[in-house]
């Protein structure tokens, strides 16, 4: 028997043991399988499942076989895992690309169709890839990326690129997200997608025409170090560009910033009236591409990050919302280190305290209690986006409480109650 078979048989024998001494209705394997199914069904995090195992182990008699940690449970169940092999097949169901005869083949011997999908292999897709030249309406209106200044600028600087309308124009898009939603915040996943701008707008963003080139995953966000992971994509982009003769873009001249993480003890140094100092703390790895220097708009920020995240931070700072405001001790220390508003230096000798500040006067007027509630409600009632909800809420209160429909004071107090700040 093979080693894998022996390991599996040992797992079955161990799993048939009672969950604890005297238990006659379940075994260790049954408990693990059923509890893992329960974990998956209710979308429990590993931390929650670990607490569950610890709780159950404490309830059962001593020397029970309930694993103490999630890792031990997964290690026990890993023997049940079965590997799989991905085998390519002909699109016309002629053959499977397996065995010594077909494993390394690139073309189906039966129908002649290529093993690998290519854009210009399909006549319909090939026609759509040149639509930007013959199909779009050219009336100086912005309807397609081909109407943009960037597209026209690259055409003028690189006539070899524009001479053949089959040359692909690719847009790179990447963003991070947590695939486990709120179940596990200590994880980050960054898909890197290429979009083909040659195609018409109605199919440009279709899933079949979007290429997932990289998937950067790990316990934390890559941050400024994301260029390390983008190196393979940069190298492939250079290979695509090799069809056009030219020199590879040299590194930015005169850049005197050290590309490293700033030590915590390194203070900020404010350079006054120095127009030659670098304004960026890093240089993208894509600057090694020849044409990158000629793209006027190299990065586009997601509107959500500007409208939502920045506005939330501003409102949180203006209303001094706990956990949302950015006006703290660290911000004041950074401003003083940069030579900005040095009078706002906080007292860090004992308990950290912030000095009183105001835009127009040396002191700040603080309001609490009833005045704070009135100011908060005044902002809500006079905000355009919220005003409509106030009037709808008032009509709803009149329908729910017909006895007080004419009592404006009671209705106003009832309406303000849900909107009071916590």
């Amino acid at each position: 028997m093979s080693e894998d078979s022996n390991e599996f048989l040992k797992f079955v024998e161990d799993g048939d043991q009672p969950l604890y001494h005297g238990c006659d209705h379940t075994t260790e394997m049954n408990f693990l399988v059923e509890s893992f199914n329960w974990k998956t069904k209710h979308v429990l995090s590993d931390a929650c499942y670990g607490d569950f195992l610890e709780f159950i182990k404490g309830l059962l008699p001593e020397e029970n076989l309930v694993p103490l940690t999630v890792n031990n449970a997964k290690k026990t169940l890993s023997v049940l895992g079965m590997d799989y092999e991905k085998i390519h097949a002909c699109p016309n169901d002629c053959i499977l690309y397996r065995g010594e005869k077909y494993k390394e083949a690139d073309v189906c011997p039966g129908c002649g169709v290529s093993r690998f999908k290519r854009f210009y292999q399909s006549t319909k897709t090939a026609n759509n890839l040149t639509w930007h030249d013959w199909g779009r309406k050219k009336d100086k209106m912005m309807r397609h990326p081909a109407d943009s200044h960037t597209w026209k600028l690259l055409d003028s600087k690189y006539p070899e690129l524009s001479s053949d309308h089959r040359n692909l124009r690719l847009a790179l898009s990447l963003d991070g997200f947590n695939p486990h939603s709120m179940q596990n915040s200590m994880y980050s996943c960054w898909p890197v997608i290429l979009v083909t701008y040659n195609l018409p707008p109605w199919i440009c963003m279709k899933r079949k025409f979007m290429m997932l080139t990289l998937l950067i995953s790990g316990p934390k966000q890559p941050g400024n170090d994301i260029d390390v992971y983008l190196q393979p994509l940069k190298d492939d982009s250079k290979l695509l560009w090799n069809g056009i003769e030219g020199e590879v873009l040299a590194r930015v001249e005169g850049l005197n910033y050290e590309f490293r993480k700033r030590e915590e003890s390194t203070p900020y140094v404010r350079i006054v009236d120095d127009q030659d100092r670098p304004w960026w703390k890093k240089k993208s790895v894509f600057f090694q591409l020849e044409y990158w220097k000629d793209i006027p708009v190299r990065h586009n920020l997601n509107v959500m990050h500007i409208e939502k995240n920045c506005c939330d931070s501003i409102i949180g700072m203006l209303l001094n919302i706990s956990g949302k405001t950015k006006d703290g001790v660290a911000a004041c220390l950074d401003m003083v280190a940069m030579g900005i508003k040095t009078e706002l230096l906080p007292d860090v000798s004992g308990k950290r305290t912030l000095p009183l500040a105001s835009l127009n006067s040396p002191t700040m007027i603080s309001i609490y209690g009833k005045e704070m509630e009135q100011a908060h409600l005044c902002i809500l009632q006079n905000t355009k986006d919220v005003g409509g909800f106030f009037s709808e809420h008032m009509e709803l209160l009149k329908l729910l409480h017909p006895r007080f429909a004419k009592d404006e004071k009671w209705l106003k107090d009832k309406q303000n109650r849900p909107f009071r700040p916590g």
Side-chain angles (χ1 to χ4, degrees), residues 114-378:
S114 173
R115 178 179 181 176
F116 303 102
K117 180 180 177 181
R118 295 180 174 90
F119 277 149
Y120 284 102
Q121 182 181 0
S122 169
T123 56
K124 184 177 180 181
T125 304
N127 190 46
N128 286 328
L129 284 170
T130 57
W131 177 90
H132 66 91
D133 178 58
W134 59 264
R136 66 185 176 91
K137 191 175 181 179
K138 303 177 183 179
D139 56 356
K140 298 183 179 181
M141 302 293 290
M142 179 66 74
R143 290 188 173 90
H144 187 268
D147 300 316
S148 66
H149 172 69
T150 301
W151 191 295
K152 298 174 182 177
L153 181 63
L154 289 178
D155 282 349
S156 62
K157 284 186 172 292
Y158 301 97
E160 299 92 342
L161 175 67
S162 59
S163 61
D164 191 344
H165 300 294
R166 295 174 298 175
N167 288 328
L168 297 180
R169 314 292 180 106
L170 303 175
L172 184 145
S173 176
L174 72 162
D175 196 4
F177 70 98
N178 185 355
H180 303 293
S181 185
M182 298 301 294
Q183 303 299 323
N184 186 359
S185 59
M186 300 299 294
Y187 193 83
S188 173
C189 187
W190 285 71
V192 182
I193 299 173
L194 287 180
V195 180
T196 308
Y197 273 172
N198 296 53
L199 297 168
W202 52 88
I203 63 173
C204 181
M205 295 299 175
K206 294 291 185 179
R207 181 179 178 181
K208 64 180 294 185
F209 297 112
M210 299 173 69
M211 296 173 282
L212 179 62
T213 57
L214 295 172
L215 191 62
I216 307 170
S217 60
K220 62 179 181 178
Q221 297 188 16
N224 287 333
D225 300 325
I226 195 172
D227 282 355
V228 176
Y229 304 96
L230 294 177
Q231 289 282 350
L233 180 58
K234 182 263 299 181
D235 294 338
D236 290 343
S237 300
K238 277 188 175 182
L239 292 177
L240 289 174
W241 188 255
N242 282 342
I244 300 176
E245 297 181 359
E247 298 179 358
V248 178
L249 175 65
R251 295 185 176 273
V252 177
E253 298 180 359
L255 192 62
N256 56 3
Y257 186 88
E258 296 184 21
F259 293 95
R260 60 180 179 84
K261 294 182 178 180
R262 184 175 65 88
E263 301 293 339
E264 293 295 333
S265 59
T266 305
Y268 287 102
V269 179
R270 189 187 185 195
I271 307 175
V272 183
D273 298 332
D274 184 3
Q275 300 299 326
D276 296 330
R277 71 183 189 276
W279 290 94
W280 308 101
K281 60 182 179 180
K282 69 182 292 288
K283 184 184 67 173
S284 172
V285 68
F286 291 108
F287 270 101
Q288 297 180 24
L289 300 175
E290 179 185 359
Y291 54 87
W292 198 257
K293 68 180 186 301
D294 298 317
I295 301 178
V297 181
R298 303 184 186 97
H299 303 92
N300 292 302
L301 297 180
N302 193 325
V303 178
M304 179 270 292
H305 292 93
I306 298 175
E307 288 191 349
K308 182 180 183 299
N309 297 354
C310 294
C311 288
D312 284 351
S313 299
I314 294 174
I315 293 175
M317 184 173 62
L318 293 177
L319 297 180
N320 196 26
I321 301 175
S322 178
K324 298 291 185 180
T325 179
K326 304 298 182 183
D327 187 15
V329 175
C332 291
L333 289 174
D334 288 342
M335 293 176 65
V336 172
M338 290 186 292
I340 305 173
K341 296 288 183 179
T342 56
E343 66 274 9
L344 298 182
L345 177 65
D347 182 11
V348 294
S349 56
K351 182 180 179 181
R352 292 191 172 190
T353 57
L354 292 173
L356 297 178
S358 174
L359 295 176
N360 301 315
S361 62
T363 59
M364 178 179 65
I365 301 176
S366 301
I367 57 176
Y368 303 95
K370 190 173 182 180
E371 291 85 1
M372 181 62 183
E373 290 185 6
Q374 292 177 351
H376 185 78
L377 293 172
C378 179

